[in-house]
Amino acid sequence: MSDTKTPMVKADRRLSASGDANGAARTVHIRTYGCQMNVYDSERMIDLLRPLGYRPVDDAATADLVILNTCHIREKAAEKLYSDLGRLCETKSEKVGGMTIAVAGCVAQAEGELVRKRSDVVDIIVGPQAYHRLPELIAKAARQKGDALDTTFAVEEKFDAIAGSRRAGGVSDFVTVQEGCDKFCAFCVVPYTRGAEVSRSAAAILEEIRLLADRGVREVTLLGQNVNAWRGEGPGGREWGLGELCRAIAAIDGIWRIRFTTSHPRDMDDGLIAALAEEAKLMPYLHLPVQAGSDKVLAAMNRRHTAADYLQLIEKIRTARADIALSGDFIVGFPGETDEDFEQTLALARAVGYASAFSFKYSRRPGTPAAALPKQVSDSEKDRRLEALQSLLKAQRDAFCDSLVGKTLPILFERPGRRAGQLIGRTPYLQSLHACAPASMIGSIAPARVSGVTPNALAGEVVGRAARGLPAVFKAEDAEAPRE
Ligand code: 5AD
Ligand code: SF4
């Protein structure tokens, strides 16, 4: 599944940067919590609201409509909603002309009625598969308080509705290709909040990406909770998997880079691995969560793969594409996890050697099978394990970054940096890289020599000409992902 692990992304910042200046009479502020899918959804909500005259703003206090696009994956993320609603209560009472507050996303889906009970400042509750109905819900809320709740699973209707108002979001943009999850990992709320796995049609995805390419998007990240479970129909009614879809996207003029997230090990089929091996526009970076290294814990988690299955899969992927950099997700302190089990998680991480990875303390989520399991692990023990795992993963990440110093990588420049004359771009491995370069290079790929590593990015110098309009691609010999 897809989670950026950025506990709160202020999507409105990007939105207003791309904003419109049509002098709209109404304003909207969106606060986005959680995953990239939520960031994408927030952007689509803005697209849907623009025709109604809404203009995005950075400051909630000045907004006529405030949308909190929530995350339910861990308790902390869900509780954040209630503290933000508490603060908004005062803001709303002081706002001249009134303010409409909408709670969207997975908390709305999972506990919409509870949200209403806990906070009477909320006017609209809308789930992640119904937000295309926001315009009607806004009208409903204006007519009668307490009436505007929609948590139906209208996924296909939603995709159709958002296609019409789609705007491009810069050099790199997200495209949802799949939603929902049928895997039912024992700890996870996603199958309940996002619903069953649904794939968008290949035709609709390709049309959206062609439109984005025409508007200057050079990199697309295909999103799905189980993105590699995507299935669709290719020409002649042939069944396509994600690999075929990526090859078709690679054939679109103007698209230079393709990424996808998040993949499940069980859906990493040969077609996709072959596409990774052969399609140079597919970036050599793969987020492949494993969650734990002990077979006993993996079974209790209902992951339906063993540690050895995962390691074999990694080997196969590396054989197909030697320069692939790996990322993953881990949970520590799942019910019943012993010290010995946890040691196996550390051993697995050592065996893989991640370029980046995310790790979390197990959070007991109401309604999930794991919440009812005995032998819940104490919080202090989870803290200890998390610290140990994070220090290993940080060392691996640092080693990976250090291994790139002195190498030349193709950088897709996306936006100006904080310092004058500086641009920020991305390496093929999804790292940010700062370099001095003219603003005209935004939207181009240029070779840059990595000169150093900062806490959150790489520093580099542009060492060659930008390739504008060329399918500039990564060359495997330029850099190799480190391995243990
Ligand atoms: N507790 C902790 N982490 C969780 N994740 C999903 N559910 C939980 C939970 N209940 C993590 C998994 C997943 C990532 C997006 O969030 O690692 O891959
Ligand atoms: Fe990912 Fe498992 Fe949650 Fe599905 S149930 S979204 S596979 S963690």
Side-chain angles (χ1 to χ4, degrees):
M1 63 165 295
S2 61
D3 187 282
T4 51
K5 319 348 164 220
T6 42
M8 189 193 289
V9 183
K10 277 207 174 168
D12 44 39
R13 247 188 267 149
R14 281 182 65 181
L15 294 166
S16 51
S18 68
D20 74 13
N22 64 6
R26 288 179 284 187
T27 52
V28 53
H29 172 87
I30 298 203
R31 180 166 283 190
T32 308
Y33 314 77
C35 66
Q36 285 156 329
M37 187 81 85
N38 267 11
V39 175
Y40 177 87
D41 289 343
S42 290
E43 289 172 355
R44 299 299 71 77
M45 286 185 227
I46 293 286
D47 290 349
L48 285 160
L49 293 171
R50 279 181 211 273
L52 302 186
Y54 280 95
R55 181 173 53 86
V57 290
D58 284 344
D59 182 10
T62 64
D64 301 309
L65 171 64
V66 173
I67 304 174
L68 303 175
N69 193 11
T70 58
C71 172
H72 199 244
I73 198 106
R74 284 170 288 275
E75 191 180 356
K76 250 195 200 152
E79 282 303 314
K80 188 88 186 76
L81 164 68
Y82 294 105
S83 54
D84 280 357
L85 280 175
R87 267 194 299 274
L88 272 177
C89 188
E90 205 175 317
T91 318
K92 180 170 177 165
S93 66
E94 286 166 2
K95 167 84 172 33
V96 181
M99 175 188 279
T100 302
I101 297 180
V103 174
C106 292
V107 179
Q109 188 67 43
E111 51 187 55
E113 287 296 348
L114 183 66
V115 172
R116 202 141 63 175
K117 277 199 203 114
R118 278 184 64 171
S119 173
D120 63 3
V121 292
V122 177
D123 302 287
I124 297 170
I125 291 168
V126 61
Q129 309 302 9
Y131 66 76
H132 56 292
R133 299 187 187 142
L134 254 179
E136 295 147 59
L137 290 166
I138 293 169
K140 246 188 183 178
R143 280 198 306 272
Q144 191 175 343
K145 191 163 168 52
D147 214 18
L149 182 146
D150 194 339
T151 50
T152 45
F153 286 97
V155 195
E156 280 163 31
E157 182 190 300
K158 178 186 81 174
F159 282 138
D160 287 347
I162 62 180
S165 55
R166 178 70 158 107
R167 284 202 172 194
V171 172
S172 177
D173 208 347
F174 298 128
V175 174
T176 294
V177 302
Q178 181 278 338
E179 273 209 54
C181 181
D182 297 339
K183 302 285 186 298
F184 290 93
C185 295
F187 49 81
C188 185
V189 290
V190 167
Y192 314 98
T193 56
R194 290 268 170 179
E197 284 177 9
V198 176
S199 295
R200 271 179 89 187
S201 79
I205 295 164
L206 293 169
E207 191 183 318
E208 180 171 335
I209 296 176
R210 271 186 219 108
L211 180 142
L212 295 178
D214 284 349
R215 295 179 186 172
V217 171
R218 297 289 164 254
E219 174 182 272
V220 285
T221 301
L222 312 180
L223 295 182
Q225 266 92 30
N226 266 292
V227 72
N228 56 343
W230 181 89
R231 290 289 171 275
E233 203 177 281
R238 237 173 9 98
E239 203 202 28
W240 270 7
L242 190 67
E244 283 83 16
L245 180 68
C246 287
R247 289 180 199 263
I249 295 168
I252 295 176
D253 260 359
I255 295 295
W256 300 341
R257 287 183 166 189
I258 305 164
R259 303 180 185 276
F260 54 87
T261 196
T262 291
S263 298
H264 192 287
R266 284 176 58 89
D267 291 319
M268 207 63 218
D269 59 32
D270 289 349
L272 183 54
I273 295 174
L276 268 172
E278 292 157 20
E279 183 46 70
K281 288 187 186 179
L282 262 172
M283 288 295 97
Y285 175 91
L286 181 66
H287 183 63
L288 198 62
V290 63
Q291 314 296 356
S294 140
D295 287 346
K296 183 194 92 192
V297 174
L298 287 168
M301 286 177 163
N302 191 32
R303 292 289 293 176
R304 295 188 293 143
H305 62 76
T306 62
D309 294 336
Y310 181 83
L311 292 172
Q312 271 163 23
L313 177 61
I314 298 290
E315 204 46 47
K316 191 168 169 186
I317 296 166
R318 279 180 163 152
T319 305
R321 187 144 181 189
D323 58 311
I324 201 109
L326 285 152
S327 158
D329 289 345
F330 293 90
I331 294 177
V332 301
F334 186 78
E337 184 188 72
T338 61
D339 270 347
E340 209 181 357
D341 293 321
F342 175 63
E343 283 303 319
Q344 291 174 26
T345 296
L346 293 176
L348 181 140
R350 278 192 208 102
V352 173
Y354 288 92
S356 77
F358 306 96
S359 45
F360 311 98
K361 290 194 278 181
Y362 167 70
S363 169
R364 199 171 180 174
R365 307 307 291 128
T368 58
L373 287 177
K375 299 197 213 150
Q376 298 281 333
V377 175
S378 72
D379 209 46
S380 59
E381 189 52 36
K382 285 184 202 167
D383 281 335
R384 192 192 66 75
R385 291 180 192 169
L386 188 68
E387 207 183 308
L389 179 59
Q390 288 190 337
S391 93
L392 170 64
L393 294 172
K394 181 177 180 307
Q396 293 189 340
R397 184 177 152 264
D398 291 349
F400 179 66
C401 290
D402 290 345
S403 76
L404 297 176
V405 174
K407 295 204 163 143
T408 299
L409 301 177
I411 306 299
L412 174 58
F413 286 104
E414 293 183 5
R415 57 197 159 87
R418 245 188 273 147
R419 298 214 191 112
Q422 197 185 52
L423 296 187
I424 299 179
R426 294 249 184 211
T427 71
Y429 307 123
L430 203 59
Q431 298 141 305
S432 293
L433 181 139
H434 305 258
C436 286
S440 59
M441 257 194 200
I442 292 175
S444 310
I445 292 181
R449 186 177 307 116
V450 180
S451 54
V453 182
T454 65
N456 297 315
L458 302 177
E461 293 139 25
V462 174
V463 292
R465 290 202 6 229
R468 184 176 280 278
L470 290 174
V473 294
F474 180 75
K475 288 205 194 70
E477 60 269 27
D478 287 339
E480 266 223 1
R483 302 169 70 169
E484 284 281 303

